[in-house]
Amino acid sequence: MNLEKHTLLNDFPEHHHTIRHLKMNDNHFARLFEQYHEVESEVHQIEESNSAVSDEYLESLKRQRVVLKDKLYALIQKTELSL
């Protein structure tokens, strides 16, 4: 199965300059970005390989991914509004 990755740059291509700027200049954003990338990679790997994990575990990872993405997007919007 070939599933699409939900990277921030794939999901928010119109904000790629802001994302790159924040990754390099905002330690909080960079930490959240790394956490998001780790969770997204795990979800993608589980779904691609059809790994035997509980539905609850996979759903908890997906919820964590959404929470992180919301936080990251809020920081992106805040940064763009202040420019």
Side-chain angles (χ1 to χ4, degrees):
M1 183 184 297
N2 192 9
L3 300 171
E4 179 182 345
K5 286 195 171 193
H6 291 277
T7 66
L8 284 184
L9 292 174
N10 282 352
D11 290 349
F12 306 124
E14 66 278 12
H15 302 289
H16 73 279
H17 292 298
T18 305
I19 292 169
R20 290 180 199 277
H21 170 78
L22 287 167
K23 278 177 44 182
M24 295 185 329
N25 297 297
D26 185 314
N27 289 332
H28 177 64
F29 184 91
R31 278 192 305 276
L32 290 175
F33 183 91
E34 184 59 32
Q35 288 175 1
Y36 177 83
H37 176 72
E38 290 171 6
V39 171
E40 165 53 24
S41 293
E42 186 172 0
V43 169
H44 187 76
Q45 188 273 331
I46 289 169
E47 291 180 336
E48 274 284 315
S49 65
N50 224 359
S51 296
V53 298
S54 71
D55 289 341
E56 293 83 16
Y57 179 69
L58 182 57
E59 289 305 313
S60 73
L61 286 175
K62 288 180 178 182
R63 282 191 299 275
Q64 186 179 0
R65 179 176 66 184
V66 168
V67 168
L68 288 166
K69 185 183 280 188
D70 286 347
K71 289 178 181 180
L72 288 161
Y73 188 68
L75 290 170
I76 292 166
Q77 285 187 310
K78 180 180 175 185
T79 299
E80 289 179 347
L81 287 173
S82 68
L83 294 178

Coordinates of all heavy atoms in Angstrom, one line a residue:
M1 N 0.8 -1.2 0.0 CA 0.0 0.0 0.0 C 0.9 1.2 0.0 O 1.9 1.3 0.7 CB -0.9 0.0 1.3 CG -1.9 1.1 1.3 SD -2.8 1.1 2.8 CE -3.7 -0.4 2.7
N2 N 0.6 2.2 -0.8 CA 1.4 3.4 -0.9 C 0.5 4.6 -0.4 O -0.3 5.1 -1.1 CB 1.8 3.7 -2.4 CG 2.8 4.7 -2.5 OD1 3.4 5.2 -1.5 ND2 3.1 5.1 -3.7
L3 N 0.8 5.0 0.9 CA 0.0 6.0 1.5 C 0.8 7.3 1.5 O 2.0 7.4 1.5 CB -0.3 5.6 3.0 CG -1.0 4.3 3.2 CD1 -1.0 4.0 4.7 CD2 -2.5 4.5 2.7
E4 N 0.0 8.4 1.4 CA 0.6 9.7 1.4 C 1.1 10.1 2.8 O 0.5 9.9 3.8 CB -0.4 10.8 0.9 CG 0.1 12.2 0.9 CD -1.0 13.1 0.5 OE1 -2.1 12.7 0.0 OE2 -0.8 14.3 0.7
K5 N 2.3 10.7 2.8 CA 2.8 11.2 4.1 C 2.2 12.5 4.4 O 2.0 13.3 3.5 CB 4.4 11.3 4.0 CG 5.1 10.0 4.0 CD 6.5 10.2 4.3 CE 7.2 8.9 4.6 NZ 8.5 9.0 5.2
H6 N 2.0 12.8 5.6 CA 1.4 14.0 6.1 C 2.4 15.0 6.7 O 2.3 15.4 7.8 CB 0.3 13.8 7.1 CG -0.9 13.1 6.5 ND1 -1.9 13.8 5.9 CD2 -1.2 11.8 6.5 CE1 -2.8 12.9 5.5 NE2 -2.4 11.7 5.8
T7 N 3.4 15.3 5.9 CA 4.5 16.2 6.3 C 3.8 17.6 6.3 O 2.9 17.9 5.6 CB 5.7 16.2 5.5 OG1 5.4 16.7 4.2 CG2 6.3 14.8 5.4
L8 N 4.4 18.5 7.1 CA 3.9 19.9 7.2 C 4.0 20.5 5.8 O 3.2 21.2 5.4 CB 4.6 20.7 8.2 CG 4.2 20.4 9.7 CD1 4.9 21.4 10.6 CD2 2.7 20.6 9.9
L9 N 5.2 20.3 5.1 CA 5.4 20.9 3.8 C 4.4 20.3 2.8 O 4.0 21.1 1.9 CB 6.8 20.7 3.4 CG 7.8 21.5 4.2 CD1 9.3 21.1 3.8 CD2 7.6 23.0 4.1
N10 N 4.0 19.1 2.9 CA 3.0 18.5 2.0 C 1.6 19.1 2.3 O 0.9 19.4 1.4 CB 2.9 17.0 2.1 CG 4.0 16.3 1.4 OD1 4.8 16.9 0.7 ND2 4.1 15.0 1.6
D11 N 1.3 19.2 3.6 CA 0.0 19.7 4.0 C -0.2 21.2 3.9 O -1.3 21.7 3.7 CB -0.3 19.2 5.4 CG -0.6 17.7 5.5 OD1 -0.7 17.1 4.4 OD2 -0.6 17.2 6.6
F12 N 0.9 22.0 4.0 CA 0.9 23.4 4.0 C 1.9 24.0 3.0 O 2.8 24.8 3.5 CB 1.1 24.0 5.4 CG 0.1 23.5 6.4 CD1 0.6 22.9 7.6 CD2 -1.2 23.6 6.3 CE1 -0.2 22.4 8.6 CE2 -2.1 23.1 7.2 CZ -1.6 22.5 8.4
P13 N 1.9 23.6 1.8 CA 3.0 24.1 0.8 C 3.0 25.6 0.7 O 4.1 26.2 0.5 CB 2.6 23.4 -0.5 CG 1.1 23.1 -0.4 CD 0.9 22.9 1.1
E14 N 1.9 26.3 0.9 CA 1.9 27.7 0.8 C 2.6 28.4 1.9 O 2.9 29.6 1.9 CB 0.4 28.2 0.7 CG -0.4 28.0 2.0 CD -1.0 26.7 2.2 OE1 -0.6 25.7 1.4 OE2 -1.9 26.5 3.0
H15 N 3.0 27.7 3.0 CA 3.6 28.2 4.1 C 5.1 27.7 4.3 O 5.7 27.8 5.3 CB 2.9 27.9 5.4 CG 1.5 28.3 5.5 ND1 1.1 29.7 5.6 CD2 0.3 27.7 5.4 CE1 -0.2 29.8 5.6 NE2 -0.7 28.6 5.4
H16 N 5.6 27.2 3.2 CA 7.0 26.6 3.3 C 8.1 27.5 3.7 O 8.9 27.2 4.5 CB 7.3 25.9 2.0 CG 7.7 26.8 0.8 ND1 6.8 27.4 0.0 CD2 8.9 27.1 0.4 CE1 7.4 28.1 -0.9 NE2 8.7 28.0 -0.7
H17 N 8.0 28.8 3.3 CA 9.0 29.8 3.8 C 8.9 30.0 5.3 O 10.0 30.0 6.0 CB 8.9 31.1 3.0 CG 9.2 31.0 1.6 ND1 10.4 30.7 1.1 CD2 8.4 31.2 0.5 CE1 10.4 30.7 -0.2 NE2 9.2 31.0 -0.6
T18 N 7.7 30.1 5.8 CA 7.5 30.3 7.2 C 8.0 29.1 8.0 O 8.6 29.2 9.0 CB 6.1 30.7 7.5 OG1 5.7 31.8 6.7 CG2 5.9 31.0 9.0
I19 N 7.6 27.9 7.5 CA 8.0 26.7 8.2 C 9.5 26.6 8.3 O 10.1 26.3 9.3 CB 7.4 25.5 7.5 CG1 5.9 25.5 7.7 CG2 8.0 24.2 8.0 CD1 5.2 24.4 6.8
R20 N 10.2 26.8 7.2 CA 11.7 26.8 7.2 C 12.3 27.8 8.1 O 13.2 27.5 8.9 CB 12.2 27.0 5.8 CG 11.9 25.8 4.9 CD 12.5 26.0 3.5 NE 11.8 25.1 2.5 CZ 12.2 23.9 2.3 NH1 13.1 23.3 3.0 NH2 11.5 23.2 1.4
H21 N 11.7 29.0 8.1 CA 12.2 30.1 9.0 C 12.1 29.7 10.4 O 13.0 29.8 11.2 CB 11.4 31.4 8.7 CG 11.7 32.5 9.7 ND1 12.8 33.2 9.7 CD2 11.0 32.9 10.7 CE1 12.8 34.1 10.7 NE2 11.7 33.9 11.4
L22 N 10.9 29.2 10.8 CA 10.6 28.8 12.2 C 11.5 27.6 12.6 O 12.0 27.6 13.8 CB 9.1 28.5 12.4 CG 8.2 29.7 12.4 CD1 6.8 29.3 12.3 CD2 8.5 30.6 13.6
K23 N 11.7 26.7 11.7 CA 12.6 25.5 12.1 C 14.0 26.0 12.4 O 14.6 25.4 13.3 CB 12.6 24.5 10.9 CG 11.5 23.6 10.9 CD 11.5 22.7 9.7 CE 12.8 22.1 9.4 NZ 12.8 21.2 8.2
M24 N 14.5 27.0 11.8 CA 15.8 27.5 12.0 C 15.9 28.5 13.1 O 17.0 28.7 13.7 CB 16.4 28.1 10.7 CG 16.5 27.1 9.6 SD 17.3 27.7 8.1 CE 16.9 29.4 8.0
N25 N 14.8 29.2 13.4 CA 14.9 30.3 14.4 C 14.1 30.2 15.6 O 14.2 31.1 16.5 CB 14.5 31.6 13.6 CG 15.5 31.9 12.5 OD1 16.7 32.1 12.7 ND2 15.0 31.9 11.3
D26 N 13.3 29.2 15.7 CA 12.4 29.1 16.9 C 12.5 27.7 17.5 O 12.1 26.7 16.9 CB 10.9 29.4 16.5 CG 9.9 29.4 17.6 OD1 10.0 28.5 18.5 OD2 9.1 30.3 17.7
N27 N 13.2 27.6 18.7 CA 13.5 26.3 19.3 C 12.2 25.6 19.6 O 12.1 24.4 19.5 CB 14.3 26.5 20.5 CG 15.8 26.9 20.2 OD1 16.3 26.6 19.1 ND2 16.4 27.6 21.1
H28 N 11.2 26.3 20.1 CA 9.9 25.6 20.5 C 9.3 25.0 19.2 O 8.8 23.9 19.2 CB 9.0 26.7 21.1 CG 7.6 26.1 21.4 ND1 7.4 25.1 22.4 CD2 6.4 26.4 21.0 CE1 6.2 24.8 22.5 NE2 5.5 25.6 21.6
F29 N 9.2 25.8 18.1 CA 8.7 25.3 16.9 C 9.5 24.1 16.4 O 8.9 23.0 16.0 CB 8.7 26.4 15.8 CG 8.0 25.9 14.5 CD1 6.7 26.1 14.3 CD2 8.8 25.3 13.5 CE1 6.1 25.7 13.1 CE2 8.2 24.9 12.3 CZ 6.8 25.1 12.1
A30 N 10.8 24.2 16.5 CA 11.7 23.1 16.0 C 11.4 21.8 16.8 O 11.4 20.7 16.2 CB 13.1 23.5 16.1
R31 N 11.2 21.9 18.1 CA 10.9 20.7 19.0 C 9.6 20.1 18.6 O 9.5 18.9 18.4 CB 10.9 21.1 20.4 CG 12.3 21.1 21.1 CD 12.3 21.2 22.6 NE 11.5 22.3 23.1 CZ 11.9 23.5 23.2 NH1 13.2 23.8 22.9 NH2 11.1 24.5 23.7
L32 N 8.6 21.0 18.4 CA 7.2 20.5 18.0 C 7.3 19.8 16.6 O 6.7 18.8 16.4 CB 6.2 21.6 18.0 CG 5.8 22.2 19.4 CD1 4.9 23.4 19.2 CD2 5.1 21.1 20.2
F33 N 8.0 20.5 15.7 CA 8.2 20.0 14.4 C 8.8 18.6 14.4 O 8.4 17.7 13.7 CB 9.1 20.9 13.6 CG 9.2 20.5 12.1 CD1 8.3 20.9 11.2 CD2 10.2 19.7 11.7 CE1 8.4 20.5 9.8 CE2 10.4 19.3 10.4 CZ 9.5 19.7 9.5
E34 N 9.9 18.4 15.2 CA 10.5 17.1 15.3 C 9.6 16.0 15.9 O 9.5 14.9 15.5 CB 11.8 17.2 16.2 CG 12.6 15.9 16.2 CD 13.1 15.4 14.9 OE1 13.3 16.2 14.0 OE2 13.1 14.2 14.7
Q35 N 8.8 16.4 17.0 CA 7.9 15.5 17.6 C 6.8 15.1 16.5 O 6.5 13.9 16.4 CB 7.2 16.1 18.8 CG 8.0 16.3 20.0 CD 7.3 17.0 21.1 OE1 6.1 17.4 20.9 NE2 8.0 17.3 22.2
Y36 N 6.3 16.1 15.8 CA 5.3 15.8 14.7 C 5.9 14.8 13.7 O 5.3 13.9 13.3 CB 4.9 17.1 14.0 CG 3.9 16.8 12.9 CD1 2.6 16.7 13.2 CD2 4.4 16.7 11.6 CE1 1.7 16.4 12.1 CE2 3.5 16.4 10.6 CZ 2.1 16.3 10.8 OH 1.3 16.0 9.8
H37 N 7.1 15.1 13.3 CA 7.8 14.2 12.3 C 7.9 12.8 12.8 O 7.7 11.8 12.1 CB 9.1 14.8 11.9 CG 9.9 13.9 11.0 ND1 9.6 13.8 9.6 CD2 11.0 13.2 11.2 CE1 10.4 13.0 9.1 NE2 11.3 12.6 10.0
E38 N 8.3 12.6 14.1 CA 8.4 11.3 14.6 C 7.1 10.6 14.7 O 7.0 9.4 14.3 CB 9.1 11.4 16.0 CG 10.5 11.8 16.0 CD 11.1 12.1 17.4 OE1 10.4 11.9 18.4 OE2 12.2 12.5 17.5
V39 N 6.1 11.3 15.1 CA 4.7 10.6 15.2 C 4.2 10.3 13.8 O 3.7 9.2 13.6 CB 3.7 11.5 16.0 CG1 2.3 11.0 15.9 CG2 4.1 11.7 17.4
E40 N 4.4 11.2 12.9 CA 3.9 11.0 11.5 C 4.7 9.8 10.9 O 4.1 9.0 10.2 CB 4.1 12.3 10.7 CG 4.1 12.1 9.2 CD 2.8 11.4 8.7 OE1 1.7 11.4 9.3 OE2 2.9 10.8 7.6
S41 N 6.0 9.7 11.1 CA 6.7 8.6 10.6 C 6.3 7.3 11.2 O 6.2 6.3 10.4 CB 8.2 8.8 10.9 OG 8.7 9.9 10.2
E42 N 6.0 7.3 12.5 CA 5.5 6.0 13.1 C 4.1 5.6 12.5 O 3.9 4.5 12.2 CB 5.4 6.2 14.6 CG 5.1 4.8 15.3 CD 5.2 4.9 16.8 OE1 5.6 5.9 17.3 OE2 4.9 3.8 17.4
V43 N 3.2 6.6 12.4 CA 1.9 6.3 11.8 C 2.0 5.8 10.4 O 1.4 4.8 10.0 CB 1.0 7.5 11.9 CG1 -0.3 7.3 11.0 CG2 0.6 7.9 13.3
H44 N 2.9 6.4 9.6 CA 3.0 6.1 8.2 C 3.6 4.6 8.1 O 3.2 3.8 7.3 CB 3.9 7.1 7.5 CG 4.1 6.8 6.1 ND1 3.1 7.2 5.2 CD2 5.1 6.3 5.3 CE1 3.4 6.8 4.0 NE2 4.6 6.3 4.0
Q45 N 4.6 4.4 9.0 CA 5.3 3.0 9.0 C 4.3 2.0 9.3 O 4.2 0.9 8.7 CB 6.5 3.0 9.9 CG 7.3 1.8 9.8 CD 6.8 0.7 10.7 OE1 6.2 0.9 11.8 NE2 7.1 -0.5 10.3
I46 N 3.4 2.2 10.4 CA 2.4 1.2 10.8 C 1.4 1.0 9.7 O 1.1 -0.2 9.4 CB 1.7 1.7 12.1 CG1 2.7 1.7 13.3 CG2 0.5 0.9 12.3 CD1 2.2 2.4 14.5
E47 N 1.0 2.0 9.1 CA 0.0 1.9 8.0 C 0.5 1.3 6.7 O -0.1 0.4 6.1 CB -0.7 3.2 7.7 CG -1.5 3.8 8.8 CD -2.2 5.1 8.5 OE1 -1.6 5.9 7.7 OE2 -3.2 5.4 9.2
E48 N 1.8 1.6 6.4 CA 2.4 1.1 5.2 C 2.6 -0.4 5.3 O 2.4 -1.2 4.4 CB 3.7 1.8 4.9 CG 3.6 3.0 4.1 CD 3.4 2.8 2.6 OE1 4.1 1.9 2.0 OE2 2.5 3.5 2.1
S49 N 3.1 -0.8 6.5 CA 3.5 -2.2 6.7 C 2.4 -3.1 7.2 O 2.5 -4.3 7.4 CB 4.7 -2.3 7.6 OG 4.3 -1.9 8.9
N50 N 1.2 -2.4 7.5 CA 0.1 -3.1 8.1 C 0.5 -3.8 9.4 O 0.1 -5.0 9.6 CB -0.5 -4.1 7.1 CG -2.0 -4.0 7.0 OD1 -2.6 -3.3 7.8 ND2 -2.6 -4.8 6.2
S51 N 1.3 -3.1 10.2 CA 1.8 -3.7 11.5 C 0.7 -4.1 12.4 O -0.4 -3.4 12.4 CB 2.7 -2.7 12.1 OG 3.8 -2.4 11.4
A52 N 0.9 -5.1 13.2 CA 0.0 -5.6 14.2 C 0.1 -4.7 15.4 O 0.8 -5.0 16.3 CB 0.2 -7.0 14.5
V53 N -0.7 -3.6 15.5 CA -0.8 -2.8 16.7 C -2.2 -2.6 17.0 O -3.1 -2.8 16.1 CB -0.1 -1.4 16.5 CG1 1.4 -1.5 16.2 CG2 -0.8 -0.6 15.4
S54 N -2.5 -2.3 18.2 CA -3.9 -2.1 18.6 C -4.5 -0.9 17.9 O -3.8 0.1 17.6 CB -4.1 -2.0 20.1 OG -3.6 -0.8 20.5
D55 N -5.8 -0.9 17.6 CA -6.5 0.2 17.1 C -6.4 1.4 18.0 O -6.2 2.6 17.5 CB -7.9 -0.1 16.8 CG -8.2 -1.1 15.7 OD1 -7.2 -1.2 14.9 OD2 -9.3 -1.6 15.6
E56 N -6.4 1.2 19.3 CA -6.3 2.3 20.3 C -5.0 3.0 20.2 O -4.9 4.2 20.3 CB -6.5 1.7 21.7 CG -7.9 1.3 22.0 CD -8.2 -0.2 21.5 OE1 -7.2 -0.9 21.2 OE2 -9.3 -0.6 21.4
Y57 N -3.9 2.2 20.0 CA -2.6 2.8 19.9 C -2.4 3.6 18.7 O -2.0 4.8 18.7 CB -1.5 1.7 19.9 CG -0.1 2.3 19.8 CD1 0.5 3.0 20.8 CD2 0.7 2.1 18.7 CE1 1.7 3.5 20.7 CE2 1.9 2.6 18.5 CZ 2.5 3.3 19.6 OH 3.7 3.8 19.5
L58 N -2.9 3.1 17.5 CA -2.8 3.9 16.3 C -3.6 5.1 16.4 O -3.2 6.2 15.9 CB -3.2 3.0 15.1 CG -3.2 3.6 13.7 CD1 -1.7 4.1 13.4 CD2 -3.6 2.6 12.7
E59 N -4.8 5.0 16.9 CA -5.7 6.2 17.1 C -5.1 7.2 18.0 O -5.2 8.4 17.8 CB -7.1 5.8 17.5 CG -7.9 5.1 16.5 CD -8.0 5.8 15.1 OE1 -8.3 7.0 15.1 OE2 -7.8 5.2 14.1
S60 N -4.4 6.8 19.0 CA -3.8 7.7 20.0 C -2.6 8.5 19.2 O -2.4 9.7 19.5 CB -3.3 7.0 21.2 OG -2.1 6.3 21.0
L61 N -1.9 7.8 18.4 CA -0.9 8.4 17.6 C -1.5 9.4 16.6 O -0.9 10.5 16.5 CB -0.1 7.4 16.8 CG 0.9 6.5 17.6 CD1 1.5 5.5 16.6 CD2 2.0 7.4 18.2
K62 N -2.6 9.1 16.0 CA -3.2 10.0 15.1 C -3.7 11.2 15.8 O -3.6 12.4 15.3 CB -4.3 9.3 14.3 CG -3.8 8.3 13.3 CD -4.9 7.6 12.6 CE -4.5 6.7 11.5 NZ -5.6 6.1 10.8
R63 N -4.3 11.1 17.0 CA -4.7 12.2 17.8 C -3.6 13.1 18.2 O -3.7 14.3 18.1 CB -5.5 11.8 19.0 CG -6.9 11.3 18.8 CD -7.7 11.1 20.1 NE -7.1 10.1 20.9 CZ -7.4 8.8 20.8 NH1 -8.2 8.4 19.9 NH2 -6.8 7.9 21.6
Q64 N -2.5 12.5 18.6 CA -1.3 13.2 18.9 C -0.8 14.0 17.7 O -0.4 15.2 17.8 CB -0.2 12.3 19.4 CG 1.1 12.9 19.9 CD 2.1 11.9 20.5 OE1 1.9 10.7 20.4 NE2 3.2 12.5 20.9
R65 N -0.8 13.4 16.5 CA -0.4 14.1 15.3 C -1.2 15.3 15.0 O -0.7 16.4 14.7 CB -0.5 13.1 14.1 CG -0.1 13.7 12.8 CD 0.0 12.6 11.7 NE -1.4 12.1 11.4 CZ -1.7 11.1 10.6 NH1 -0.7 10.5 9.9 NH2 -2.9 10.7 10.4
V66 N -2.6 15.2 15.2 CA -3.5 16.3 15.0 C -3.2 17.4 16.0 O -3.1 18.6 15.6 CB -4.9 15.8 15.1 CG1 -5.9 17.0 15.2 CG2 -5.3 14.9 13.9
V67 N -3.0 17.1 17.2 CA -2.7 18.1 18.3 C -1.4 18.9 17.9 O -1.4 20.1 18.0 CB -2.6 17.5 19.7 CG1 -2.0 18.5 20.7 CG2 -4.0 17.0 20.1
L68 N -0.4 18.1 17.5 CA 0.9 18.8 17.2 C 0.7 19.6 15.9 O 1.3 20.7 15.9 CB 2.0 17.7 17.0 CG 2.5 17.0 18.2 CD1 3.3 15.8 17.9 CD2 3.3 18.0 19.1
K69 N 0.0 19.1 14.9 CA -0.2 19.9 13.7 C -1.0 21.2 14.0 O -0.6 22.2 13.5 CB -0.9 19.1 12.7 CG -1.1 19.8 11.3 CD -1.9 19.0 10.3 CE -1.0 18.0 9.7 NZ -1.7 17.3 8.6
D70 N -2.0 21.1 14.9 CA -2.7 22.3 15.3 C -1.8 23.4 15.9 O -1.9 24.5 15.6 CB -3.9 22.0 16.2 CG -5.0 21.3 15.5 OD1 -5.1 21.3 14.2 OD2 -5.9 20.8 16.2
K71 N -0.9 22.9 16.8 CA 0.0 23.8 17.5 C 1.0 24.4 16.5 O 1.3 25.6 16.6 CB 0.8 23.0 18.6 CG -0.1 22.7 19.8 CD 0.7 21.9 20.8 CE -0.1 21.5 22.0 NZ 0.7 20.8 23.0
L72 N 1.5 23.6 15.6 CA 2.4 24.1 14.6 C 1.8 25.1 13.7 O 2.3 26.2 13.4 CB 3.0 22.9 13.8 CG 4.0 22.1 14.6 CD1 4.2 20.7 13.9 CD2 5.4 22.8 14.8
Y73 N 0.6 24.8 13.3 CA -0.1 25.7 12.4 C -0.4 27.0 13.1 O -0.3 28.1 12.5 CB -1.4 25.1 11.8 CG -2.1 25.9 10.8 CD1 -1.5 26.1 9.5 CD2 -3.3 26.5 11.0 CE1 -2.1 26.8 8.5 CE2 -3.9 27.3 10.0 CZ -3.3 27.5 8.8 OH -3.8 28.2 7.8
A74 N -0.8 27.0 14.3 CA -1.0 28.2 15.1 C 0.2 29.1 15.2 O 0.1 30.3 15.0 CB -1.5 27.9 16.5
L75 N 1.4 28.5 15.3 CA 2.6 29.2 15.4 C 2.9 29.8 14.0 O 3.5 30.9 13.9 CB 3.8 28.3 15.8 CG 3.7 27.9 17.3 CD1 4.8 26.9 17.6 CD2 4.0 29.2 18.2
I76 N 2.6 29.0 12.9 CA 2.8 29.5 11.6 C 2.0 30.8 11.3 O 2.5 31.8 10.8 CB 2.5 28.4 10.5 CG1 3.6 27.3 10.6 CG2 2.5 29.0 9.1 CD1 3.2 26.0 9.9
Q77 N 0.7 30.7 11.7 CA -0.2 31.8 11.5 C 0.2 33.0 12.3 O 0.2 34.1 11.8 CB -1.6 31.4 11.8 CG -2.3 30.5 10.8 CD -3.7 30.3 11.1 OE1 -4.1 29.9 12.3 NE2 -4.6 30.5 10.1
K78 N 0.6 32.8 13.5 CA 1.0 33.9 14.4 C 2.2 34.6 13.8 O 2.3 35.8 13.8 CB 1.3 33.4 15.8 CG 1.8 34.4 16.8 CD 2.1 33.8 18.1 CE 2.7 34.8 19.1 NZ 3.1 34.2 20.3
T79 N 3.2 33.8 13.3 CA 4.4 34.4 12.7 C 4.0 35.2 11.4 O 4.5 36.3 11.2 CB 5.4 33.3 12.4 OG1 5.7 32.6 13.6 CG2 6.6 33.8 11.7
E80 N 3.2 34.6 10.6 CA 2.8 35.3 9.4 C 2.0 36.6 9.6 O 2.1 37.6 8.9 CB 2.1 34.4 8.4 CG 3.0 33.3 7.9 CD 2.3 32.3 6.9 OE1 1.0 32.3 6.9 OE2 3.0 31.6 6.3
L81 N 1.2 36.6 10.7 CA 0.4 37.8 11.0 C 1.3 38.9 11.5 O 1.0 40.1 11.4 CB -0.7 37.5 12.0 CG -1.8 36.7 11.5 CD1 -2.8 36.3 12.6 CD2 -2.6 37.5 10.4
S82 N 2.4 38.5 12.2 CA 3.3 39.5 12.7 C 4.3 40.1 11.7 O 5.0 41.0 12.0 CB 4.1 38.9 13.9 OG 5.0 38.0 13.5
L83 N 4.3 39.5 10.5 CA 5.3 40.0 9.5 C 4.8 41.3 8.8 O 3.7 41.6 8.6 CB 5.6 38.9 8.5 CG 6.3 37.7 9.0 CD1 6.5 36.7 8.0 CD2 7.7 38.1 9.6

